[in-house]
Amino acid sequence: MLTLNKFEKAYDKVQEIVLPTKLIKSDYFSEQTGNLVYLKPENMQLTGAYKIRGAYYKISTLNEEEKVKGLITASAGNHAQGVALAAKRQGVKATIVMPTTTPLLKVNRTKDLGAKVVLYGDVYDEACEHALKLAQEKGFTFVHPFDDLAVATGQGTIAMDIFKELPTVDYILVPIGGGGLATGVSTLARLLNPKIKVIGVEPAGAACMKASLEAGKVVSCEHVNTIADGTAVQTPGKKIFPYIQNNIDDIITVEDEELIPCFLDLLENHKMLAENSGLLTIAALKHLKAEGKKVVPIISGGNMDVITIASLVQHGLIIRDRIFTVSVFLPDKPGELTRVSRVISQAQGNIVKLEHNQFVSINRNSAVELTITMEAFGTEHKNKIIKALQDTGYKPEIRSSKSVF
C-alpha cells in the first residue's frame, strides 16, 4: 500500500538530490484559459526531468546484495538519466537499455553519467523486454521505470512540493506514459486532499492508460505513434493500475499537432524549454472543463535535441502564420520582381526565400511563377500582405506549409 508515511519518508530522502522547482505563476496561460495556472517546472530538475526522484528513492530501498548485482532498466531517456545519476551517487553500477529511436542527447547524457547504454528495439516495450532478458541472464537488479510502487512513491513527492507551495490547488495535470508519475502524484494528492482533481494527460497516439481504464483492465495499444517519445508506451503498469483507477479523475488525450504551438508559447512567454511529453499538460489546459480554478500542470521534462528543437520552431512558426509561402504569376520582364518586393515591403512583410520559375509555361511573357516565403506577425498580418498583393493585381496562391522550408 502507498501510505502517507511512505511518501513522507520518500520526500525526505529525495531532498538529498533534487533541486527545488518552485511553482511559476503563468499570467499568459491564466489569461488563455480563464484559470489560475501555476507551472511545476520539473524540466528544470537535475537530469532535466522528474525521473531522478523515483530512481533515487527506489535505489535507496534496495539491500546491499541487490546493489552489488548492479542495476538494469529500460527507458526512452529520462528514467535512464535518473537511474544513471542515482546509481552513481549511491555507488552502484547501472546498465540502461534504450530504444534505438531515443534522441541522441538523452543517450549521450546517460553515458556521461557513467551508465552502460544498450540500444535495442523501436519502442520502450521492446527495450524493456530485452532489459528483463539481460537481468535474468546476468543477475542484474531490474529497476522498472513506472510499474514499481517504490518508484511511484518517489515520483509522488512532486505532489508534496505542490501542496507545500499551493495548499489550495484545485487541479493537477500530470503526463501519463506507463503511469508511475500519475500513480504517485494522484495517490498522494488524494491523501492530502480528497477533493482535489488529478487529471492524466496522454498523447492520442499512445493512449494506453485511457484504453485500459475504459476496458477496466490493463490493455495494450496496437500501435504507438507520437512525437512525445517520453510517453510512447504501449502497455501501462499492472501493479500501479489499481491506484490509477482509484485516484485519477479523468484522462485528456492530446494530438501531436497541439504540442507544437505549446512549445512556442512556453519558450516565448516563460523562456522555458520543455520536451514534447512535458508539453502534454500545457496542451491539456485548453481542454480542461474548469474556470477560475487553481491549476498546476506538471512539466515533466526538458530533454530535447537541437534538431527536434529546430523542427518544432519551424513548424510552430508555420502553424501561427508567422512564416508562410505564396506563389504569384507575372510577366518575365525587368522590374516585375522589384514591383512584387515593393508591395510586400510596404505591407511590412519580410521575404526570406524566393524561387523564380521561368519554365512553368511556354509563354514566358504571360506566366512566370514566383514563389515567395516570408515572415509575418501572425494571421492578421499575413492576410494584410495577401490583400496588398491582390489589390496590386496579383493573384497569390497559398502554398502548402510542407513546402515552406
Side-chain angles (χ1 to χ4, degrees):
M1 292 290 292
L2 297 183
T3 64
L4 182 58
N5 181 256
K6 289 181 179 178
F7 280 113
E8 288 174 337
K9 287 182 178 178
Y11 183 80
D12 290 339
K13 186 64 182 178
V14 301
Q15 297 313 303
E16 297 174 1
I17 195 168
V18 297
L19 295 175
T21 53
K22 298 292 185 179
L23 294 178
I24 299 171
K25 172 72 185 320
S26 174
D27 292 333
Y28 176 81
F29 290 116
S30 296
E31 291 171 4
Q32 292 285 313
T33 63
N35 288 302
L36 298 174
V37 178
Y38 298 81
L39 309 177
K40 177 58 173 169
E42 285 293 292
N43 55 323
M44 306 302 291
Q45 192 52 261
L46 274 171
T47 71
Y50 73 95
K51 288 283 191 176
I52 184 63
R53 296 172 180 266
Y56 192 79
Y57 179 64
K58 170 65 178 180
I59 295 172
S60 74
T61 67
L62 299 176
N63 59 41
E64 286 306 311
E65 182 182 350
E66 291 171 318
K67 291 179 181 179
V68 168
K69 289 179 179 179
L71 309 177
I72 190 168
T73 191
S75 168
N78 288 334
H79 178 67
Q81 293 176 72
V83 170
L85 178 58
K88 183 178 181 180
R89 289 286 184 91
Q90 299 186 55
V92 183
K93 292 183 178 180
T95 299
I96 317 292
V97 183
M98 308 178 81
T100 56
T101 53
T102 302
L104 183 61
L105 175 69
K106 294 181 180 181
V107 174
N108 288 339
R109 283 184 175 175
T110 303
K111 291 179 179 179
D112 291 343
L113 289 169
K116 177 182 177 182
V117 173
V118 176
L119 297 177
Y120 187 92
D122 293 327
V123 295
Y124 160 77
D125 299 79
E126 293 173 0
C128 185
E129 185 177 347
H130 188 64
L132 287 169
K133 180 182 177 183
L134 291 177
Q136 187 174 18
E137 290 176 354
K138 301 188 178 184
F140 295 138
T141 299
F142 185 74
V143 179
H144 202 287
F146 54 83
D147 199 18
D148 183 293
L149 294 183
V151 169
T153 302
Q155 319 297 29
T157 58
I158 291 175
M160 189 73 79
D161 277 351
I162 294 171
F163 274 87
K164 282 179 177 290
E165 283 194 81
L166 190 66
T168 56
V169 58
D170 298 302
Y171 284 84
I172 297 177
L173 302 181
V174 55
I176 292 183
L181 174 61
T183 293
V185 169
S186 63
T187 302
L188 179 53
R190 278 279 189 270
L191 290 170
L192 296 173
N193 179 5
K195 294 182 179 180
I196 194 172
K197 300 289 184 183
V198 181
I199 310 296
V201 189
E202 284 187 296
C208 60
M209 189 65 79
K210 184 177 178 64
S212 296
L213 288 174
E214 290 173 350
K217 61 180 180 179
V218 172
V219 297
S220 301
C221 291
E222 196 169 324
H223 301 288
V224 168
N225 183 20
T226 177
I227 62 173
D229 58 280
T231 45
V233 177
Q234 282 184 293
T235 310
K238 293 182 179 179
K239 295 177 183 176
I240 61 175
F241 185 64
Y243 291 92
I244 296 289
Q245 285 180 303
N246 291 332
N247 299 314
I248 289 288
D249 293 279
D250 193 11
I251 288 186
I252 294 172
T253 57
V254 171
E255 298 291 341
D256 281 358
E257 291 76 14
E258 297 178 72
L259 300 176
I260 298 171
C262 291
F263 175 82
L264 287 183
D265 280 339
L266 204 60
L267 196 60
E268 290 187 321
N269 293 285
H270 289 284
K271 308 300 181 282
M272 189 182 295
L273 181 71
E275 62 188 82
N276 291 320
S277 293
L279 294 168
L280 287 170
T281 55
I282 301 300
L285 287 169
K286 293 183 179 180
H287 296 279
L288 188 64
K289 296 177 181 179
E291 190 172 347
K293 301 296 184 181
K294 294 175 183 175
V295 181
V296 177
I298 297 173
I299 303 174
S300 56
N303 292 313
M304 186 181 291
D305 62 87
V306 175
I307 293 175
T308 303
I309 293 171
S311 178
L312 283 171
V313 169
Q314 288 182 349
H315 283 84
L317 292 173
I318 293 168
I319 288 172
R320 294 194 164 176
D321 287 332
R322 288 167 61 177
I323 290 183
F324 68 101
T325 298
V326 299
S327 64
V328 295
F329 291 89
L330 62 159
D332 187 20
K333 61 183 182 181
E336 287 298 318
L337 182 57
T338 300
R339 183 171 175 240
V340 173
S341 298
R342 185 182 301 113
V343 173
I344 294 172
S345 175
Q346 289 174 346
Q348 293 185 298
N350 184 40
I351 296 173
V352 295
K353 181 179 174 184
L354 281 175
E355 292 182 8
H356 195 219
N357 185 358
Q358 294 178 310
F359 305 106
V360 71
S361 170
I362 296 175
N363 186 352
R364 288 169 53 184
N365 288 325
S366 64
V368 172
E369 183 182 32
L370 183 65
T371 304
I372 312 163
T373 299
M374 65 191 93
E375 294 176 325
F377 303 132
T379 302
E380 185 178 345
H381 187 211
K382 169 188 171 182
N383 293 336
K384 178 183 175 182
I385 296 170
I386 291 172
K387 187 176 187 305
L389 288 168
Q390 292 170 336
D391 291 346
T392 313
Y394 297 107
K395 296 180 180 179
E397 295 181 6
I398 301 294
R399 298 291 294 269
S400 167
S401 60
K402 294 181 180 179
S403 65
V404 169
F405 294 100

